[in-house]
Amino acid sequence: MREEQANESELYARVDGLLASLCAQQIPLPPPRERTRLRTAAGLSTEQVADVLSCPAQDIAAWEAGTREPRMPHRAAYARLLDGLKALEQPLQTKVPAPREPTAPATRTEQPTLFPADEAPPSPRRPAPSQPLVIPTGPLTVIDHTDTLVAHFTDGSQLPLAADDLPGVLQWALDSGLRRDKLSPYDQDGDPLIVLTPAASTALHLPAELGDRATLRLPADHPVLAHLRQAGFHLTRRGFGPWPRVYRPVVNKKRASLQLAIQAWGALCQDGWNLPPLAPTDLARLLGLYTERLLTPRGSTAVCGQELMTALRPPTKPGRDPASNRWVPTPHRGALHQAMEPAPPEAPDAHPLARGRRPEDAMEEEAWDWSRAPDKHESALAHVVGLDINLAFLSAASSLSVGLNAPPRHVTAPAFDKTIPGAWYCDLSHAALDPRLPSPFTATGQAPTKPAWYTTVTLAYAQELNLDVRPTEAYLRDDHGPYLTPWYERLRDAYLATMAGLGVHEKIPQAQYLAAMEKLPTADPAQLALLAAIKATAKGGLGKLREGPRHVTTPYTRWPALDKPTWRPDIRAAVVAKARVNLHRKLRKMGEHSGRYPLAVLSDCVLYPAHTPSALDVVPAGPDQLGTQGLIRLAVNPGCAKQEGVQSMVWYQHQLTQGLNPARYIKNDASNT
């Protein structure tokens, strides 16, 4: 009996020990980003913390990155340390630089602002012994200079810097904890962005402009670059230009790199960026919104679009090597992880594969440039209304299956399969289509007259139109998937959030949408610049898929972009083809529904004849005045339309007599004859 009681007591003790262990494992810890902030604010290195906790420094880095959580007994000690560091922050104080001279009220009201009308911007901070410590926060900082260098953060706070040279600023930034959280499970945390205003550049001994206007790079022997090298910093092969990247070698598997944007040299005012003059605090907020909705700026908006693709679908992920039993980078399924040669018909004209190629052997999947003369009935209508499809090519990227990492497989006499992305040689000249619509098979909108190369998307639409599709040759991509879907979703959400901030919302009646869009040009210039940057990121990212040669004068010579996994002209061709057939489908159904047919199309802009000078005259009202599904609808969503411009029918016919496509000029032509 006693033995049974002893066994029972021992079992209870072991159960209690297990429960205690489980409870200990649930000791709460701050989020990973806060752990880094608390350590760096206290001036501690990962090595110092690791020494105190008797664990490797790599463990501290992993806990701060959120890739691994501490276990007992380290968890309890780590939680105690973080609680102590947080308590130490309370009595700390800091000095804030003297405020600038206040500007006149009229000057202030002319500045674009990111603050709502009923919210005043924070007043300049004045030196006060009781002000709390400013902790660097966010993914970036804008550094300006008055009497000293001052860092402006995305939350509106400011911090004077003790550094007086560029290496000092970079070291402060590395220690500050500034970063962007990873965008996908296998992405890396975004490096901090340091924006230098012209005043800050001058204070850091950088020239006001770059002398080398061809390459836009600072000479390698410049004293500032020599100083960086002495401090242990390295540059990428692109050198030190408007968007330089600076780094130190990896130590303990921890990266130490930063992105700079130098405003004096054109960063943020060209290459897709067109930001208005902004105070440093407002600039930090605007770039913070761009980062929050997309990613930290890395260069031109096109570069950002390409980097966003990679961040959302990184090329590699951690995988265990069976031979060494170590974690090593392995290919990430669904991503692009190696450079791929195009199929011969997909190669651009400058590509080495295009040497000796006949023009008819090149695939031409491009956007429309088409117009026609109005018939007698259409000529009697007084007006022409332009409808622009919102983010048409971005919308086409949604759920589109594209080739991934297998080289194109050449096949003769293939049976067409709409599930396999590829390039198909097929004769569609027998297609009899409505002449009031542009042909969906050519960029000119004219019917094809001989066999040509088409994407899978185009031939699938030919089948939808009940045409006989019999390709004689093909290059097929057996490894495929919806690579661009997360990229589309993030850009769509960023666009819709920004439009909502400008007062243009989803699911509102079409007339209300048109009224909101009429007010859009008078909105806050900073928010409009943010919107333009988001749209340019989408457009430029798709353009990068077929980036052409730069500074290469010899024909058929390889250029650096060809060695990138994201250089994929076949993917761009599929997106363009899908945008074109999507629009053709809507134009066809519009004609069947209303008897109204387009007069001209340029890319994503369509011109219709109209009785009144309004898009409401052209687009069916539909249920609840929200438009009709499957037709062109007036709404803010990608793939829906906005009114691009209105002109008279006389104006339209005059444009035709000049040999012009009126869709190109309907928005900007001030004449209304």
Side-chain angles (χ1 to χ4, degrees):
M1 185 70 175
R2 289 180 180 177
E3 182 177 337
E4 292 178 358
Q5 290 177 344
N7 290 340
E8 183 177 339
S9 300
E10 181 181 348
L11 290 174
Y12 284 173
R14 292 166 70 178
V15 168
D16 290 344
L18 176 61
L19 293 174
S21 175
L22 292 173
C23 290
Q25 292 297 342
Q26 307 215 354
I27 294 175
L29 290 172
R33 186 171 184 174
E34 177 69 3
R35 303 170 197 175
T36 305
R37 189 193 67 77
L38 289 169
R39 176 182 59 76
T40 56
L44 298 175
S45 67
T46 54
E47 289 76 12
Q48 288 175 294
V49 175
D51 184 61
V52 169
L53 297 180
S54 299
C55 67
Q58 296 95 311
D59 287 353
I60 306 300
W63 300 345
E64 292 183 355
T67 57
R68 195 165 69 245
E69 288 296 298
R71 301 180 63 83
M72 293 299 292
H74 293 109
R75 187 179 184 92
Y78 189 45
R80 183 180 179 87
L81 172 65
L82 296 175
D83 287 343
L85 294 179
K86 189 170 185 178
L88 286 173
E89 287 185 345
Q90 306 307 320
L92 293 177
Q93 299 174 350
T94 186
K95 293 174 65 179
V96 177
R100 303 181 186 183
E101 290 297 320
T103 56
T107 305
R108 178 68 189 177
T109 57
E110 292 172 0
Q111 287 287 332
T113 176
L114 292 176
F115 298 95
D118 57 350
E119 177 188 346
S123 58
R125 303 190 179 202
R126 301 182 181 279
S130 60
Q131 283 190 307
L133 176 69
V134 174
I135 302 298
T137 182
L140 57 92
T141 182
V142 176
I143 296 181
D144 194 24
H145 183 270
T146 48
D147 297 328
T148 186
L149 291 171
V150 180
H152 299 257
F153 304 108
T154 57
D155 63 355
S157 61
Q158 304 170 20
L159 181 68
L161 302 181
D164 57 2
D165 58 16
L166 188 56
V169 169
L170 298 181
Q171 187 59 53
W172 165 83
L174 287 175
D175 296 337
S176 66
L178 292 173
R179 67 184 177 96
R180 167 190 56 75
D181 291 338
K182 59 182 66 177
L183 298 183
S184 62
Y186 303 118
D187 184 28
Q188 296 177 327
D189 291 336
D191 295 331
L193 169 65
I194 314 301
V195 179
L196 299 180
T197 67
S201 296
T202 300
L204 295 172
H205 313 294
L206 292 171
E209 61 181 23
L210 292 170
D212 186 347
R213 305 307 300 171
T215 63
L216 292 178
R217 298 292 180 265
L218 197 63
D221 59 354
H222 192 278
V224 170
L225 300 189
H227 197 184
L228 284 178
R229 289 190 291 268
Q230 292 170 2
F233 288 102
H234 299 260
L235 300 175
T236 64
R237 288 181 297 177
R238 298 187 63 187
F240 201 91
W243 290 92
R245 176 162 289 276
V246 182
Y247 68 95
R248 280 192 171 137
V250 173
V251 177
N252 294 327
K253 298 182 179 180
K254 193 167 185 180
R255 298 167 64 243
S257 58
L258 306 109
Q259 179 71 60
L260 281 81
I262 302 176
Q263 286 190 283
W265 299 350
L268 298 173
C269 67
Q270 59 188 19
D271 297 327
W273 296 100
N274 189 22
L275 305 187
L278 291 169
T281 298
D282 282 352
L283 177 59
R285 287 202 177 199
L286 184 147
L287 296 177
L289 281 174
Y290 181 90
T291 301
E292 176 186 333
R293 293 172 185 175
L294 291 181
L295 80 167
T296 310
R298 296 280 301 271
S300 69
T301 52
V303 167
C304 292
Q306 186 179 54
E307 293 288 337
L308 183 60
M309 291 181 192
T310 303
L312 293 170
R313 288 199 188 272
T316 61
K317 66 176 183 177
R320 193 173 291 279
D321 180 15
S324 64
N325 202 32
R326 293 183 177 180
W327 290 99
V328 295
T330 59
H332 180 199
R333 183 171 176 80
L336 303 177
H337 50 75
Q338 59 182 330
M340 193 72 59
E341 287 292 290
E346 297 166 346
D349 290 340
H351 195 279
L353 287 175
R355 183 190 296 269
R357 184 181 65 187
R358 298 180 306 168
E360 57 267 29
D361 289 334
M363 185 166 66
E364 189 184 4
E365 291 280 20
E366 296 294 341
W368 272 322
D369 186 349
W370 170 85
S371 59
R372 66 175 176 88
D375 61 25
K376 183 177 180 180
H377 171 72
E378 292 165 337
S379 297
L381 302 185
H383 305 282
V384 176
V385 174
L387 303 175
D388 183 73
I389 308 300
N390 300 323
L391 297 173
F393 298 99
L394 174 66
S395 178
S398 174
S399 304
L400 176 64
S401 182
V402 298
L404 296 177
N405 298 290
R409 173 173 57 92
H410 185 245
V411 184
T412 56
F416 178 66
D417 186 342
K418 66 179 182 181
T419 66
I420 303 179
W424 310 76
Y425 193 68
C426 188
D427 189 355
L428 296 177
S429 60
H430 60 279
L433 301 175
D434 193 323
R436 294 171 294 181
L437 293 172
S439 169
F441 308 128
T442 65
T444 63
Q446 305 302 315
T449 58
K450 55 188 175 182
W453 287 95
Y454 300 102
T455 63
T456 300
V457 174
T458 301
L459 287 193
Y461 186 59
Q463 276 193 336
E464 182 181 325
L465 297 175
N466 297 317
L467 298 178
D468 187 19
V469 175
R470 296 185 183 182
T472 58
E473 187 181 358
Y475 290 90
L476 306 181
R477 299 180 182 273
D478 299 311
D479 180 23
H480 51 84
Y483 171 72
L484 292 172
T485 296
W487 183 78
Y488 156 76
E489 291 172 346
R490 188 160 179 88
L491 279 158
R492 173 203 61 195
D493 293 347
Y495 165 75
L496 291 176
T498 306
M499 289 295 284
L502 289 163
V504 185
H505 301 277
E506 297 181 78
K507 297 180 180 178
I508 57 176
Q510 296 186 124
Q512 187 176 334
Y513 168 68
L514 288 183
M517 291 297 292
E518 285 182 2
K519 298 177 182 177
L520 193 64
T522 63
D524 174 15
Q527 289 280 7
L528 290 175
L530 174 61
L531 175 66
I534 291 171
K535 294 168 70 175
T537 302
K539 181 179 180 180
L542 292 173
K544 279 284 187 179
L545 293 170
R546 199 188 181 191
E547 181 180 358
R550 296 183 181 181
H551 313 302
V552 176
T553 57
T554 306
Y556 312 118
T557 301
R558 293 187 67 85
W559 58 96
L562 303 187
D563 298 325
K564 296 180 180 179
T566 50
W567 190 84
R568 293 294 298 271
D570 57 301
I571 296 180
R572 177 190 174 274
V575 171
V576 173
K578 186 179 177 184
R580 195 179 62 243
V581 301
N582 281 352
L583 183 53
H584 189 276
R585 186 181 293 111
K586 291 180 180 179
L587 299 180
R588 177 169 54 86
K589 292 183 177 180
M590 285 276 289
E592 294 169 356
H593 182 274
S594 66
R596 202 81 61 91
Y597 289 87
L599 295 175
V601 185
L602 182 74
S603 187
D604 50 6
C605 179
V606 186
L607 268 56
Y608 272 97
H611 297 88
T612 63
S614 171
L616 296 173
D617 182 79
V618 175
V619 178
D624 303 320
Q625 305 297 312
L626 297 177
T628 302
Q629 196 70 28
L631 308 184
I632 295 178
R633 292 187 298 138
L634 300 174
V636 68
N637 306 70
C640 294
K642 63 178 180 291
Q643 182 170 296
E644 182 75 353
V646 178
Q647 298 291 346
S648 69
M649 181 61 72
V650 173
W651 172 90
Y652 178 86
Q653 293 179 325
H654 177 71
Q655 295 286 311
L656 286 183
T657 62
Q658 302 298 307
L660 304 173
N661 185 341
R664 186 181 301 276
Y665 306 101
I666 193 165
K667 180 178 181 180
N668 300 316
D669 197 324
S671 64
N672 195 8
T673 58

